[in-house]
């Protein structure tokens, strides 16, 4: 049976599976988008990326490494099992053009030395952090696979009100994305099934899902979504953003990047 819009950061990134339709290419997309962002900056300095082996961060690091411009110096730094203060001080003492940390909140505990050094911008992943809150600063940016909140919130308000009315709205941004996208997937699948009537064909169902994704009034957290023949990923890009100190609002520092 077709798998309609599963919520995963680690989809099968090949385009050959006709019967699985994803919201996006997940964490791999963020890695490729960040590599494109560095290319657009025009620099050729060394980049250090840190990740924990065997995690989603390692997948992002591999995608970033593969998409980075040929000849661009890149230093891979696998995260120790238990990074101590000395690890972060040593990393802060380096002076690359940028540090890319494909890490979640738990792994970033003790990393304050990077902010204090300010020797290079630090890039994080909003997906791995689960929320951009608490990461404000001139030298901290992050990949962000959704529309920025100022443009997104008016579109998703109706869905959030429905979720709130039914006691289903989570308190944080990552949870709200899950809830809104689940509601979207249910509505899209429902519209597609309604058009099947008694024509129970997998291929026809997928075609109706492709159509419903672009016509439904139910929103997503993404700026735009679309599918078509041979296209299995509905959202194609990501932003690089900064969280503004004080207000906590997210501001894009790049255009919508489509690798």
């Amino acid at each position: 049976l077709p798998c309609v819009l599963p919520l995963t950061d680690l989809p099968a990134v090949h385009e050959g599976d006709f019967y699985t339709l994803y919201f996006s290419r997940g964490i791999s997309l963020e890695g490729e988008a960040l590599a494109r962002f560095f290319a657009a900056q025009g620099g050729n300095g060394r980049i250090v990326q840190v990740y924990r082996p065997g995690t989603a961060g390692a997948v992002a690091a591999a995608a970033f490494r593969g998409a980075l411009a040929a000849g661009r110096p890149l230093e891979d730094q696998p995260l120790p099992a238990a990074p101590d203060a000395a690890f972060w001080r040593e990393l802060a003492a380096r002076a690359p053009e940028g540090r890319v940390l494909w890490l979640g909140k738990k792994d970033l505990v003790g990393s304050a030395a990077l902010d204090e050094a300010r020797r290079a911008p630090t890039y994080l992943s909003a997906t791995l952090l689960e929320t951009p809150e608490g990461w404000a600063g001139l030298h901290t940016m992050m990949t962000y696979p959704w529309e920025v909140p100022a443009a997104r919130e008016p579109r998703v308000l109706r869905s959030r009100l429905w979720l709130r009315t039914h006691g289903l709205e989570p308190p944080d941004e990552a949870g709200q994305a899950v809830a809104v996208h689940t509601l979207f997937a249910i509505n899209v699948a429902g519209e597609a099934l309604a058009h099947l009537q008694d024509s129970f064909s997998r291929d026809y169902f997928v075609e109706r899902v492709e159509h419903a994704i672009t016509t439904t009034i139910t929103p997503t957290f993404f700026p735009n979504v679309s599918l078509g023949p041979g296209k299995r990923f509905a959202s194609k890009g990501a932003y690089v953003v900064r969280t503004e100190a004080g207000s906590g609002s997210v501001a894009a520092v790049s255009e919508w990047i489509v690798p």
Side-chain angles (χ1 to χ4, degrees):
L1 293 175
C3 185
V4 180
L5 304 173
L7 297 173
T8 175
D9 299 325
L10 295 169
V13 296
H14 58 81
E15 291 275 8
D17 184 0
F18 179 80
Y19 295 110
T20 304
L21 313 173
Y22 294 102
F23 275 108
S24 79
R25 288 190 291 112
I27 199 68
S28 295
L29 175 64
E30 291 185 48
E32 295 174 12
L34 186 58
R36 182 69 65 89
F37 175 79
F38 273 104
Q41 302 308 297
N44 58 5
R46 179 172 56 94
I47 300 168
V48 176
Q49 69 169 350
V50 183
Y51 57 92
R52 185 175 289 283
T55 66
V59 175
F64 179 74
R65 187 185 309 116
L68 202 62
R72 186 69 180 267
L74 175 66
E75 178 182 343
D76 278 343
Q77 176 64 69
L79 191 72
D84 55 15
F87 170 83
W88 294 112
R89 285 197 301 268
E90 190 278 330
L91 186 63
R94 304 182 199 177
E97 185 172 325
R99 300 186 192 89
V100 181
L101 309 183
W102 300 113
L103 303 172
K105 288 181 181 179
K106 291 182 180 180
D107 282 333
L108 287 166
V109 172
S111 65
L114 298 181
D115 291 332
E116 296 167 2
R118 296 193 179 278
R119 292 173 177 265
T122 297
Y123 297 85
L124 306 170
S125 163
T127 295
L128 296 177
L129 289 174
E130 297 183 350
T131 174
E133 295 176 1
W135 301 98
L138 181 63
H139 284 68
T140 301
M141 289 173 278
M142 64 188 72
T143 54
Y144 195 80
W146 307 318
E147 180 61 281
V148 293
R152 181 184 74 222
E153 287 307 304
R155 291 192 297 104
V156 301
L157 180 59
R158 181 177 180 181
S159 291
R160 289 187 59 186
L161 288 175
W162 187 93
L163 291 165
R164 190 177 306 160
T165 299
H166 292 80
L168 298 172
E169 185 183 34
D172 62 321
E173 184 181 52
Q176 291 167 11
V178 169
V180 168
H181 292 161
T182 299
L183 184 61
F184 176 85
I186 290 171
N187 285 337
V188 164
E191 291 178 26
L193 285 169
H195 280 85
L196 291 187
Q197 297 183 13
D198 60 351
S199 301
F200 299 117
S201 161
R202 291 181 298 175
D203 293 43
Y204 183 41
F205 174 69
V206 169
E207 290 178 7
R208 294 309 313 180
V209 168
E210 292 171 352
H211 178 74
I213 278 178
T214 57
T215 59
T216 183
I217 62 172
T218 308
T220 71
F221 268 40
F222 303 106
N224 53 73
V225 289
S226 64
L227 292 173
K231 303 299 181 183
R232 304 298 89 190
F233 303 102
S235 180
K236 313 300 192 296
Y239 288 108
V240 174
V241 304
R242 177 182 291 118
T243 304
E244 302 292 344
S247 67
S249 60
V250 171
V253 298
S254 76
E255 300 294 329
W256 182 246
I257 303 171
V258 180

